[in-house]
Amino acid sequence: MKSSFWKKFIRIKIVVIAAIFVFGLLALQAPYFKSQIVKKITKELSNLTQSEVSISSYEGFVPLSFDLYYINFKKDDKVWLSIDRLSLNRSLLYFLFWKKKGMDLSLDKANLYSIPSFNPEKKLENFTWPKIPYYSLNIDLYGKHINVSDEVFNQKLPDDMRFKINLDVHRFGKVFSLKSSFTSDEISATSLKFNARGYQRQNMVHLDLALSDPNRSLNAYLKDPFLPSIDLKTSLSGAPDAYMAFINPQKKTDKNFRGVLYLNFLPTGDDTPLWDELIGDDKVTTTSEIYFDQLGLNIKHAHIRGSNIDFNGAGFLSRTYDFYNTYLEGRLSNLDFTKLWLDSPIEGKLGSLVKLSGNYKNPQMNISLLSLQLAYKHFIAYDFESTLFIEKFNDQYVGNFDLKASLNQSPLESSGKYTYCSADHYDLENLDIRYGTNTLNAHSLKRLGEVYQGRFDFDFKRIALISPLIKKEIHGDSLGKAILDLDVT
């Protein structure tokens, strides 16, 4: 009797629970509930991207699947990102009952038209430790048919590119762990990994970041063809608010973080001839200790080493990302890169001191060069000294220089201003050359391709010193002016 009662009771209980579960699932399909989900997603995406976000339509059986259609991100009345479809693809049973919670997302036919500028002064909220309702979560995001406009990176990326982003989150009491990675078959040479481990009791987060791009130029990412390929690793430890303050100069903080930075610059063999010649065949390794506090970022014990270069330095980057008291001091042991401007390279070694100032995106550089002996063909310069100021202006480098040396046992001094675009496109102004008793002033000297133009005043009192330049023996004095308009083709 009792056994029959309990069997009947259990069957009724199962039916009731099943009915509640079914009616609960049906309730989740109500248009009102789905619209609230979409409103929440739209709000979060708008706040995250500082953009106006619109979603045209949606459908799905919540929470087994949910699809959003025609998502547009608009800023300043211009759509900068559109996604035809964003889908949630993993069953409720897997999410509820598997020990490792999982979620699959996919986006189809995404078009990135531009990267808008975001307001750096937007106030960031103070960091709060995440409240994770489960101990483990895995999120996989798959991208299919990702089209990127040429204007975004100033370089064509693979058509219909696909990528995968993996995110693992774990919680162990007051300890949080996050591991993530980015992979793509179309750009398999490039990988990005980001790991974080947070300790709530100590209010500290340890970060590890690795970017490996061994075969492609950073031009694909930073719009700058002058930069070489890169292999970057950094390890940092500090308070979460300090990290947030580093990326937002408006945020005050009394916290700090510290760590190490490791970089490999790699010659690419394309579009970067100056880098290829300057750093040689081997990679250039950079290591540095860094420390951030409310004043800014201190760069300690920076060491840059390669087959042609060996530099040590230190510096300071302010909260507004300006360099102060930043320098690199060392040597260049191979000057083969000078053959970009000359028909033969200069032989010798150069000691160098580089001082940086101004914003990190476009720093000003003051360079001092020293050498006991330099040789170019049959010219030999002893006790060479030179200073060079470089500043980038739009796509050009502008500045001034001066030098002095003993050239073939006669004193040489020179100074001037320059505008440099490339090895075959530059402009010199107020170029003064004093060699022995000879003087030459070039009010302007331009090169554009194979065309040279210039205006000169000259006073040669011992013209024999100039003989090696033209490989003819000449003697006497010469005084006058000259206009040069020469096409060497």
mmCIF file of all heavy atoms in Angstrom, residues 68-73 79-87 105-114 141-150 152-153 156-163 165 182:
data_model
loop_
_atom_site.group_PDB
_atom_site.id
_atom_site.type_symbol
_atom_site.label_atom_id
_atom_site.label_comp_id
_atom_site.label_asym_id
_atom_site.label_seq_id
_atom_site.Cartn_x
_atom_site.Cartn_y
_atom_site.Cartn_z
ATOM 1 N N LEU A 68 20.422 36.773 -33.716
ATOM 2 C CA LEU A 68 20.199 38.196 -33.971
ATOM 3 C C LEU A 68 20.589 38.486 -35.407
ATOM 4 O O LEU A 68 21.626 38.026 -35.883
ATOM 5 C CB LEU A 68 21.041 39.049 -33.017
ATOM 6 C CG LEU A 68 20.884 38.749 -31.520
ATOM 7 C CD1 LEU A 68 21.891 39.568 -30.721
ATOM 8 C CD2 LEU A 68 19.472 39.025 -31.054
ATOM 9 N N TYR A 69 19.776 39.297 -36.120
ATOM 10 C CA TYR A 69 20.013 39.554 -37.533
ATOM 11 C C TYR A 69 20.267 41.042 -37.790
ATOM 12 O O TYR A 69 19.631 41.907 -37.183
ATOM 13 C CB TYR A 69 18.817 39.100 -38.372
ATOM 14 C CG TYR A 69 18.588 37.598 -38.343
ATOM 15 C CD1 TYR A 69 17.691 37.032 -37.447
ATOM 16 C CD2 TYR A 69 19.299 36.763 -39.197
ATOM 17 C CE1 TYR A 69 17.485 35.656 -37.423
ATOM 18 C CE2 TYR A 69 19.096 35.385 -39.183
ATOM 19 C CZ TYR A 69 18.193 34.840 -38.287
ATOM 20 O OH TYR A 69 17.993 33.491 -38.260
ATOM 21 N N TYR A 70 21.184 41.295 -38.695
ATOM 22 C CA TYR A 70 21.476 42.635 -39.219
ATOM 23 C C TYR A 70 21.736 43.630 -38.081
ATOM 24 O O TYR A 70 20.960 44.533 -37.803
ATOM 25 C CB TYR A 70 20.341 43.126 -40.120
ATOM 26 C CG TYR A 70 20.027 42.148 -41.222
ATOM 27 C CD1 TYR A 70 18.823 41.454 -41.232
ATOM 28 C CD2 TYR A 70 20.953 41.884 -42.227
ATOM 29 C CE1 TYR A 70 18.546 40.520 -42.222
ATOM 30 C CE2 TYR A 70 20.683 40.959 -43.226
ATOM 31 C CZ TYR A 70 19.476 40.278 -43.213
ATOM 32 O OH TYR A 70 19.211 39.362 -44.187
ATOM 33 N N ILE A 71 22.886 43.416 -37.436
ATOM 34 C CA ILE A 71 23.331 44.282 -36.339
ATOM 35 C C ILE A 71 24.246 45.350 -36.922
ATOM 36 O O ILE A 71 25.247 45.035 -37.577
ATOM 37 C CB ILE A 71 24.085 43.467 -35.274
ATOM 38 C CG1 ILE A 71 23.262 42.245 -34.873
ATOM 39 C CG2 ILE A 71 24.415 44.322 -34.078
ATOM 40 C CD1 ILE A 71 24.011 41.257 -34.016
ATOM 41 N N ASN A 72 23.925 46.614 -36.684
ATOM 42 C CA ASN A 72 24.731 47.729 -37.179
ATOM 43 C C ASN A 72 25.277 48.533 -36.010
ATOM 44 O O ASN A 72 24.552 48.829 -35.044
ATOM 45 C CB ASN A 72 23.906 48.647 -38.079
ATOM 46 C CG ASN A 72 23.646 48.053 -39.440
ATOM 47 O OD1 ASN A 72 24.480 47.314 -39.966
ATOM 48 N ND2 ASN A 72 22.485 48.330 -40.013
ATOM 49 N N PHE A 73 26.566 48.885 -36.096
ATOM 50 C CA PHE A 73 27.224 49.753 -35.124
ATOM 51 C C PHE A 73 27.492 51.086 -35.819
ATOM 52 O O PHE A 73 28.235 51.135 -36.802
ATOM 53 C CB PHE A 73 28.531 49.131 -34.637
ATOM 54 C CG PHE A 73 28.352 47.850 -33.882
ATOM 55 C CD1 PHE A 73 28.098 46.650 -34.550
ATOM 56 C CD2 PHE A 73 28.433 47.827 -32.500
ATOM 57 C CE1 PHE A 73 27.934 45.465 -33.859
ATOM 58 C CE2 PHE A 73 28.278 46.641 -31.796
ATOM 59 C CZ PHE A 73 28.014 45.467 -32.480
ATOM 60 N N VAL A 79 27.957 53.970 -40.303
ATOM 61 C CA VAL A 79 28.081 52.570 -39.896
ATOM 62 C C VAL A 79 29.543 52.132 -40.045
ATOM 63 O O VAL A 79 30.114 52.220 -41.134
ATOM 64 C CB VAL A 79 27.169 51.665 -40.743
ATOM 65 C CG1 VAL A 79 27.410 50.196 -40.386
ATOM 66 C CG2 VAL A 79 25.699 52.018 -40.525
ATOM 67 N N TRP A 80 30.141 51.682 -38.944
ATOM 68 C CA TRP A 80 31.538 51.251 -39.010
ATOM 69 C C TRP A 80 31.670 49.721 -38.907
ATOM 70 O O TRP A 80 32.692 49.159 -39.264
ATOM 71 C CB TRP A 80 32.389 51.926 -37.935
ATOM 72 C CG TRP A 80 31.988 51.657 -36.523
ATOM 73 C CD1 TRP A 80 31.052 52.325 -35.785
ATOM 74 C CD2 TRP A 80 32.522 50.650 -35.656
ATOM 75 N NE1 TRP A 80 30.959 51.798 -34.520
ATOM 76 C CE2 TRP A 80 31.857 50.774 -34.410
ATOM 77 C CE3 TRP A 80 33.494 49.665 -35.801
ATOM 78 C CZ2 TRP A 80 32.128 49.951 -33.327
ATOM 79 C CZ3 TRP A 80 33.777 48.836 -34.726
ATOM 80 C CH2 TRP A 80 33.102 48.988 -33.506
ATOM 81 N N LEU A 81 30.600 49.043 -38.444
ATOM 82 C CA LEU A 81 30.610 47.584 -38.372
ATOM 83 C C LEU A 81 29.191 47.072 -38.574
ATOM 84 O O LEU A 81 28.242 47.598 -37.978
ATOM 85 C CB LEU A 81 31.141 47.107 -37.013
ATOM 86 C CG LEU A 81 31.048 45.604 -36.713
ATOM 87 C CD1 LEU A 81 31.919 44.806 -37.667
ATOM 88 C CD2 LEU A 81 31.441 45.308 -35.263
ATOM 89 N N SER A 82 29.043 46.052 -39.423
ATOM 90 C CA SER A 82 27.752 45.403 -39.606
ATOM 91 C C SER A 82 27.934 43.894 -39.543
ATOM 92 O O SER A 82 28.947 43.362 -40.000
ATOM 93 C CB SER A 82 27.118 45.800 -40.944
ATOM 94 O OG SER A 82 27.861 45.262 -42.034
ATOM 95 N N ILE A 83 26.960 43.197 -38.944
ATOM 96 C CA ILE A 83 26.979 41.740 -38.825
ATOM 97 C C ILE A 83 25.625 41.225 -39.287
ATOM 98 O O ILE A 83 24.584 41.636 -38.762
ATOM 99 C CB ILE A 83 27.240 41.304 -37.374
ATOM 100 C CG1 ILE A 83 28.570 41.884 -36.861
ATOM 101 C CG2 ILE A 83 27.262 39.786 -37.254
ATOM 102 C CD1 ILE A 83 28.814 41.655 -35.382
ATOM 103 N N ASP A 84 25.654 40.342 -40.272
ATOM 104 C CA ASP A 84 24.385 39.821 -40.794
ATOM 105 C C ASP A 84 23.687 38.905 -39.801
ATOM 106 O O ASP A 84 22.456 38.915 -39.700
ATOM 107 C CB ASP A 84 24.618 39.051 -42.104
ATOM 108 C CG ASP A 84 24.761 39.980 -43.295
ATOM 109 O OD1 ASP A 84 24.893 41.198 -43.058
ATOM 110 O OD2 ASP A 84 24.754 39.503 -44.441
ATOM 111 N N ARG A 85 24.476 38.125 -39.043
ATOM 112 C CA ARG A 85 23.849 37.168 -38.137
ATOM 113 C C ARG A 85 24.787 36.840 -36.984
ATOM 114 O O ARG A 85 25.968 36.574 -37.189
ATOM 115 C CB ARG A 85 23.492 35.884 -38.886
ATOM 116 C CG ARG A 85 22.792 34.836 -38.029
ATOM 117 C CD ARG A 85 22.460 33.621 -38.878
ATOM 118 N NE ARG A 85 21.792 32.568 -38.105
ATOM 119 C CZ ARG A 85 21.382 31.414 -38.615
ATOM 120 N NH1 ARG A 85 21.568 31.169 -39.912
ATOM 121 N NH2 ARG A 85 20.798 30.524 -37.855
ATOM 122 N N LEU A 86 24.243 36.864 -35.759
ATOM 123 C CA LEU A 86 24.975 36.465 -34.559
ATOM 124 C C LEU A 86 24.158 35.384 -33.874
ATOM 125 O O LEU A 86 22.994 35.599 -33.523
ATOM 126 C CB LEU A 86 25.188 37.646 -33.618
ATOM 127 C CG LEU A 86 25.906 37.366 -32.291
ATOM 128 C CD1 LEU A 86 27.312 36.863 -32.541
ATOM 129 C CD2 LEU A 86 25.936 38.608 -31.422
ATOM 130 N N SER A 87 24.769 34.187 -33.676
ATOM 131 C CA SER A 87 24.025 33.030 -33.198
ATOM 132 C C SER A 87 24.632 32.461 -31.925
ATOM 133 O O SER A 87 25.851 32.452 -31.748
ATOM 134 C CB SER A 87 24.006 31.920 -34.263
ATOM 135 O OG SER A 87 23.457 32.394 -35.468
ATOM 136 N N LEU A 105 29.334 30.786 -29.784
ATOM 137 C CA LEU A 105 28.778 31.913 -30.523
ATOM 138 C C LEU A 105 29.367 31.912 -31.926
ATOM 139 O O LEU A 105 30.524 31.533 -32.113
ATOM 140 C CB LEU A 105 29.107 33.245 -29.837
ATOM 141 C CG LEU A 105 28.599 33.450 -28.416
ATOM 142 C CD1 LEU A 105 29.182 34.731 -27.838
ATOM 143 C CD2 LEU A 105 27.090 33.502 -28.390
ATOM 144 N N SER A 106 28.589 32.340 -32.892
ATOM 145 C CA SER A 106 29.132 32.491 -34.242
ATOM 146 C C SER A 106 28.554 33.739 -34.873
ATOM 147 O O SER A 106 27.408 34.117 -34.598
ATOM 148 C CB SER A 106 28.804 31.263 -35.110
ATOM 149 O OG SER A 106 27.414 31.172 -35.345
ATOM 150 N N LEU A 107 29.389 34.418 -35.662
ATOM 151 C CA LEU A 107 28.906 35.571 -36.417
ATOM 152 C C LEU A 107 29.212 35.332 -37.891
ATOM 153 O O LEU A 107 30.266 34.804 -38.245
ATOM 154 C CB LEU A 107 29.496 36.884 -35.908
ATOM 155 C CG LEU A 107 31.016 37.046 -35.833
ATOM 156 C CD1 LEU A 107 31.561 37.596 -37.135
ATOM 157 C CD2 LEU A 107 31.377 37.974 -34.696
ATOM 158 N N ASP A 108 28.244 35.704 -38.730
ATOM 159 C CA ASP A 108 28.332 35.409 -40.156
ATOM 160 C C ASP A 108 28.217 36.705 -40.949
ATOM 161 O O ASP A 108 27.383 37.560 -40.658
ATOM 162 C CB ASP A 108 27.221 34.439 -40.552
ATOM 163 C CG ASP A 108 27.461 33.832 -41.928
ATOM 164 O OD1 ASP A 108 28.582 33.962 -42.440
ATOM 165 O OD2 ASP A 108 26.526 33.238 -42.476
ATOM 166 N N LYS A 109 29.088 36.826 -41.963
ATOM 167 C CA LYS A 109 29.093 37.980 -42.858
ATOM 168 C C LYS A 109 29.206 39.294 -42.082
ATOM 169 O O LYS A 109 28.320 40.130 -42.100
ATOM 170 C CB LYS A 109 27.851 37.991 -43.737
ATOM 171 C CG LYS A 109 27.806 36.820 -44.727
ATOM 172 C CD LYS A 109 26.617 36.897 -45.646
ATOM 173 C CE LYS A 109 26.622 35.726 -46.617
ATOM 174 N NZ LYS A 109 25.445 35.736 -47.517
ATOM 175 N N ALA A 110 30.333 39.419 -41.380
ATOM 176 C CA ALA A 110 30.634 40.660 -40.675
ATOM 177 C C ALA A 110 31.476 41.552 -41.577
ATOM 178 O O ALA A 110 32.398 41.083 -42.247
ATOM 179 C CB ALA A 110 31.379 40.367 -39.379
ATOM 180 N N ASN A 111 31.164 42.838 -41.609
ATOM 181 C CA ASN A 111 31.881 43.800 -42.440
ATOM 182 C C ASN A 111 32.394 44.935 -41.563
ATOM 183 O O ASN A 111 31.604 45.648 -40.930
ATOM 184 C CB ASN A 111 30.960 44.370 -43.522
ATOM 185 C CG ASN A 111 30.499 43.323 -44.516
ATOM 186 O OD1 ASN A 111 31.223 42.958 -45.431
ATOM 187 N ND2 ASN A 111 29.289 42.816 -44.313
ATOM 188 N N LEU A 112 33.721 45.059 -41.496
ATOM 189 C CA LEU A 112 34.342 46.157 -40.762
ATOM 190 C C LEU A 112 34.744 47.226 -41.763
ATOM 191 O O LEU A 112 35.660 47.036 -42.558
ATOM 192 C CB LEU A 112 35.567 45.650 -39.988
ATOM 193 C CG LEU A 112 36.327 46.684 -39.168
ATOM 194 C CD1 LEU A 112 35.437 47.288 -38.084
ATOM 195 C CD2 LEU A 112 37.570 46.061 -38.541
ATOM 196 N N TYR A 113 34.049 48.374 -41.736
ATOM 197 C CA TYR A 113 34.285 49.434 -42.712
ATOM 198 C C TYR A 113 35.335 50.436 -42.248
ATOM 199 O O TYR A 113 36.078 50.993 -43.046
ATOM 200 C CB TYR A 113 32.972 50.183 -43.006
ATOM 201 C CG TYR A 113 31.866 49.295 -43.505
ATOM 202 C CD1 TYR A 113 30.799 48.952 -42.685
ATOM 203 C CD2 TYR A 113 31.889 48.782 -44.799
ATOM 204 C CE1 TYR A 113 29.775 48.120 -43.143
ATOM 205 C CE2 TYR A 113 30.871 47.950 -45.259
ATOM 206 C CZ TYR A 113 29.817 47.625 -44.428
ATOM 207 O OH TYR A 113 28.811 46.811 -44.879
ATOM 208 N N SER A 114 35.415 50.671 -40.956
ATOM 209 C CA SER A 114 36.377 51.634 -40.418
ATOM 210 C C SER A 114 36.489 51.402 -38.921
ATOM 211 O O SER A 114 35.692 50.656 -38.328
ATOM 212 C CB SER A 114 35.932 53.080 -40.706
ATOM 213 O OG SER A 114 34.690 53.354 -40.083
ATOM 214 N N LEU A 141 34.012 31.678 -29.887
ATOM 215 C CA LEU A 141 33.410 32.573 -30.874
ATOM 216 C C LEU A 141 34.009 32.256 -32.236
ATOM 217 O O LEU A 141 35.221 32.334 -32.416
ATOM 218 C CB LEU A 141 33.670 34.040 -30.509
ATOM 219 C CG LEU A 141 33.239 35.085 -31.541
ATOM 220 C CD1 LEU A 141 31.738 35.028 -31.773
ATOM 221 C CD2 LEU A 141 33.661 36.481 -31.118
ATOM 222 N N TYR A 142 33.152 31.916 -33.181
ATOM 223 C CA TYR A 142 33.594 31.602 -34.538
ATOM 224 C C TYR A 142 33.149 32.731 -35.468
ATOM 225 O O TYR A 142 31.990 33.138 -35.452
ATOM 226 C CB TYR A 142 32.983 30.282 -35.028
ATOM 227 C CG TYR A 142 33.382 29.073 -34.223
ATOM 228 C CD1 TYR A 142 32.686 28.721 -33.076
ATOM 229 C CD2 TYR A 142 34.455 28.286 -34.610
ATOM 230 C CE1 TYR A 142 33.052 27.612 -32.330
ATOM 231 C CE2 TYR A 142 34.825 27.170 -33.879
ATOM 232 C CZ TYR A 142 34.124 26.841 -32.738
ATOM 233 O OH TYR A 142 34.487 25.736 -32.002
ATOM 234 N N GLY A 143 34.067 33.207 -36.262
ATOM 235 C CA GLY A 143 33.727 34.214 -37.261
ATOM 236 C C GLY A 143 33.829 33.623 -38.654
ATOM 237 O O GLY A 143 34.814 32.962 -38.992
ATOM 238 N N LYS A 144 32.798 33.834 -39.486
ATOM 239 C CA LYS A 144 32.788 33.313 -40.850
ATOM 240 C C LYS A 144 32.548 34.466 -41.815
ATOM 241 O O LYS A 144 31.705 35.320 -41.572
ATOM 242 C CB LYS A 144 31.690 32.259 -41.016
ATOM 243 C CG LYS A 144 31.843 31.034 -40.114
ATOM 244 C CD LYS A 144 30.758 30.012 -40.367
ATOM 245 C CE LYS A 144 29.393 30.535 -39.965
ATOM 246 N NZ LYS A 144 28.337 29.525 -40.144
ATOM 247 N N HIS A 145 33.287 34.477 -42.913
ATOM 248 C CA HIS A 145 33.123 35.502 -43.952
ATOM 249 C C HIS A 145 33.287 36.902 -43.345
ATOM 250 O O HIS A 145 32.371 37.717 -43.347
ATOM 251 C CB HIS A 145 31.760 35.374 -44.632
ATOM 252 C CG HIS A 145 31.487 34.003 -45.173
ATOM 253 N ND1 HIS A 145 32.228 33.450 -46.194
ATOM 254 C CD2 HIS A 145 30.572 33.074 -44.805
ATOM 255 C CE1 HIS A 145 31.761 32.231 -46.445
ATOM 256 N NE2 HIS A 145 30.771 31.973 -45.621
ATOM 257 N N ILE A 146 34.481 37.152 -42.815
ATOM 258 C CA ILE A 146 34.789 38.442 -42.206
ATOM 259 C C ILE A 146 35.473 39.312 -43.260
ATOM 260 O O ILE A 146 36.573 38.999 -43.719
ATOM 261 C CB ILE A 146 35.718 38.270 -40.982
ATOM 262 C CG1 ILE A 146 35.181 37.164 -40.074
ATOM 263 C CG2 ILE A 146 35.876 39.576 -40.248
ATOM 264 C CD1 ILE A 146 33.791 37.399 -39.558
ATOM 265 N N ASN A 147 34.822 40.387 -43.651
ATOM 266 C CA ASN A 147 35.366 41.275 -44.672
ATOM 267 C C ASN A 147 35.807 42.590 -44.030
ATOM 268 O O ASN A 147 35.034 43.220 -43.300
ATOM 269 C CB ASN A 147 34.325 41.546 -45.764
ATOM 270 C CG ASN A 147 33.921 40.275 -46.487
ATOM 271 O OD1 ASN A 147 34.782 39.526 -46.934
ATOM 272 N ND2 ASN A 147 32.620 40.021 -46.568
ATOM 273 N N VAL A 148 37.041 42.975 -44.300
ATOM 274 C CA VAL A 148 37.619 44.187 -43.727
ATOM 275 C C VAL A 148 37.945 45.149 -44.855
ATOM 276 O O VAL A 148 38.639 44.798 -45.815
ATOM 277 C CB VAL A 148 38.892 43.872 -42.910
ATOM 278 C CG1 VAL A 148 39.476 45.140 -42.315
ATOM 279 C CG2 VAL A 148 38.570 42.870 -41.808
ATOM 280 N N SER A 149 37.452 46.380 -44.744
ATOM 281 C CA SER A 149 37.694 47.385 -45.770
ATOM 282 C C SER A 149 39.174 47.737 -45.840
ATOM 283 O O SER A 149 39.892 47.714 -44.833
ATOM 284 C CB SER A 149 36.875 48.642 -45.459
ATOM 285 O OG SER A 149 37.215 49.701 -46.321
ATOM 286 N N ASP A 150 39.635 48.092 -47.051
ATOM 287 C CA ASP A 150 41.045 48.454 -47.236
ATOM 288 C C ASP A 150 41.454 49.630 -46.355
ATOM 289 O O ASP A 150 42.595 49.716 -45.898
ATOM 290 C CB ASP A 150 41.311 48.811 -48.704
ATOM 291 C CG ASP A 150 41.250 47.588 -49.598
ATOM 292 O OD1 ASP A 150 41.112 46.479 -49.058
ATOM 293 O OD2 ASP A 150 41.332 47.741 -50.821
ATOM 294 N N VAL A 152 40.725 50.346 -43.392
ATOM 295 C CA VAL A 152 40.930 50.051 -41.978
ATOM 296 C C VAL A 152 42.410 49.868 -41.679
ATOM 297 O O VAL A 152 42.971 50.478 -40.776
ATOM 298 C CB VAL A 152 40.135 48.796 -41.564
ATOM 299 C CG1 VAL A 152 40.447 48.419 -40.123
ATOM 300 C CG2 VAL A 152 38.639 49.045 -41.724
ATOM 301 N N PHE A 153 43.085 49.007 -42.434
ATOM 302 C CA PHE A 153 44.498 48.717 -42.203
ATOM 303 C C PHE A 153 45.383 49.233 -43.314
ATOM 304 O O PHE A 153 46.586 49.003 -43.309
ATOM 305 C CB PHE A 153 44.718 47.215 -42.052
ATOM 306 C CG PHE A 153 44.042 46.630 -40.860
ATOM 307 C CD1 PHE A 153 43.206 45.532 -40.995
ATOM 308 C CD2 PHE A 153 44.224 47.173 -39.613
ATOM 309 C CE1 PHE A 153 42.582 44.979 -39.892
ATOM 310 C CE2 PHE A 153 43.603 46.634 -38.507
ATOM 311 C CZ PHE A 153 42.780 45.536 -38.640
ATOM 312 N N LYS A 156 45.072 45.151 -47.975
ATOM 313 C CA LYS A 156 44.043 44.155 -48.218
ATOM 314 C C LYS A 156 44.294 42.904 -47.382
ATOM 315 O O LYS A 156 45.378 42.330 -47.412
ATOM 316 C CB LYS A 156 44.011 43.783 -49.707
ATOM 317 C CG LYS A 156 42.898 42.813 -50.087
ATOM 318 C CD LYS A 156 41.523 43.428 -49.920
ATOM 319 C CE LYS A 156 40.446 42.495 -50.435
ATOM 320 N NZ LYS A 156 39.095 43.043 -50.199
ATOM 321 N N LEU A 157 43.288 42.505 -46.600
ATOM 322 C CA LEU A 157 43.365 41.261 -45.848
ATOM 323 C C LEU A 157 42.667 40.148 -46.628
ATOM 324 O O LEU A 157 41.943 40.417 -47.579
ATOM 325 C CB LEU A 157 42.692 41.443 -44.480
ATOM 326 C CG LEU A 157 43.400 42.392 -43.512
ATOM 327 C CD1 LEU A 157 42.666 42.428 -42.187
ATOM 328 C CD2 LEU A 157 44.837 41.990 -43.292
ATOM 329 N N PRO A 158 42.864 38.883 -46.267
ATOM 330 C CA PRO A 158 42.271 37.782 -47.022
ATOM 331 C C PRO A 158 40.752 37.907 -47.130
ATOM 332 O O PRO A 158 40.075 38.274 -46.169
ATOM 333 C CB PRO A 158 42.658 36.544 -46.207
ATOM 334 C CG PRO A 158 43.869 36.957 -45.444
ATOM 335 C CD PRO A 158 43.700 38.404 -45.146
ATOM 336 N N ASP A 159 40.206 37.626 -48.317
ATOM 337 C CA ASP A 159 38.756 37.637 -48.502
ATOM 338 C C ASP A 159 38.116 36.512 -47.693
ATOM 339 O O ASP A 159 38.681 35.433 -47.534
ATOM 340 C CB ASP A 159 38.401 37.467 -49.979
ATOM 341 C CG ASP A 159 38.820 38.670 -50.812
ATOM 342 O OD1 ASP A 159 38.868 39.784 -50.243
ATOM 343 O OD2 ASP A 159 39.118 38.495 -52.008
ATOM 344 N N ASP A 160 36.905 36.786 -47.209
ATOM 345 C CA ASP A 160 36.146 35.777 -46.451
ATOM 346 C C ASP A 160 36.979 35.145 -45.341
ATOM 347 O O ASP A 160 37.006 33.929 -45.164
ATOM 348 C CB ASP A 160 35.618 34.691 -47.390
ATOM 349 C CG ASP A 160 34.581 35.242 -48.355
ATOM 350 O OD1 ASP A 160 33.957 36.256 -47.998
ATOM 351 O OD2 ASP A 160 34.409 34.680 -49.433
ATOM 352 N N MET A 161 37.695 35.985 -44.605
ATOM 353 C CA MET A 161 38.543 35.492 -43.524
ATOM 354 C C MET A 161 37.697 34.861 -42.421
ATOM 355 O O MET A 161 36.606 35.311 -42.118
ATOM 356 C CB MET A 161 39.374 36.636 -42.963
ATOM 357 C CG MET A 161 40.388 36.221 -41.907
ATOM 358 S SD MET A 161 41.401 37.593 -41.348
ATOM 359 C CE MET A 161 40.213 38.515 -40.384
ATOM 360 N N ARG A 162 38.208 33.803 -41.813
ATOM 361 C CA ARG A 162 37.554 33.143 -40.700
ATOM 362 C C ARG A 162 38.505 33.149 -39.506
ATOM 363 O O ARG A 162 39.715 33.081 -39.670
ATOM 364 C CB ARG A 162 37.186 31.693 -41.056
ATOM 365 C CG ARG A 162 36.159 31.578 -42.172
ATOM 366 C CD ARG A 162 36.060 30.139 -42.659
ATOM 367 N NE ARG A 162 35.081 30.018 -43.730
ATOM 368 C CZ ARG A 162 33.890 29.440 -43.603
ATOM 369 N NH1 ARG A 162 33.539 28.944 -42.431
ATOM 370 N NH2 ARG A 162 33.056 29.375 -44.605
ATOM 371 N N PHE A 163 37.935 33.234 -38.319
ATOM 372 C CA PHE A 163 38.770 33.208 -37.126
ATOM 373 C C PHE A 163 38.012 32.514 -35.999
ATOM 374 O O PHE A 163 36.801 32.310 -36.053
ATOM 375 C CB PHE A 163 39.187 34.618 -36.699
ATOM 376 C CG PHE A 163 38.047 35.484 -36.233
ATOM 377 C CD1 PHE A 163 37.571 35.397 -34.936
ATOM 378 C CD2 PHE A 163 37.455 36.391 -37.087
ATOM 379 C CE1 PHE A 163 36.534 36.189 -34.494
ATOM 380 C CE2 PHE A 163 36.411 37.191 -36.664
ATOM 381 C CZ PHE A 163 35.940 37.089 -35.360
ATOM 382 N N ILE A 165 37.937 32.625 -31.598
ATOM 383 C CA ILE A 165 38.382 33.168 -30.318
ATOM 384 C C ILE A 165 37.912 32.235 -29.217
ATOM 385 O O ILE A 165 36.732 31.886 -29.145
ATOM 386 C CB ILE A 165 37.826 34.586 -30.088
ATOM 387 C CG1 ILE A 165 38.412 35.562 -31.119
ATOM 388 C CG2 ILE A 165 38.153 35.067 -28.674
ATOM 389 C CD1 ILE A 165 37.858 36.959 -31.021
ATOM 390 N N PHE A 182 43.479 33.758 -29.988
ATOM 391 C CA PHE A 182 42.922 34.114 -31.293
ATOM 392 C C PHE A 182 43.688 33.323 -32.355
ATOM 393 O O PHE A 182 44.915 33.331 -32.364
ATOM 394 C CB PHE A 182 43.078 35.617 -31.550
ATOM 395 C CG PHE A 182 42.760 36.030 -32.964
ATOM 396 C CD1 PHE A 182 41.477 36.420 -33.313
ATOM 397 C CD2 PHE A 182 43.734 36.034 -33.950
ATOM 398 C CE1 PHE A 182 41.176 36.804 -34.612
ATOM 399 C CE2 PHE A 182 43.449 36.408 -35.244
ATOM 400 C CZ PHE A 182 42.163 36.797 -35.581
#
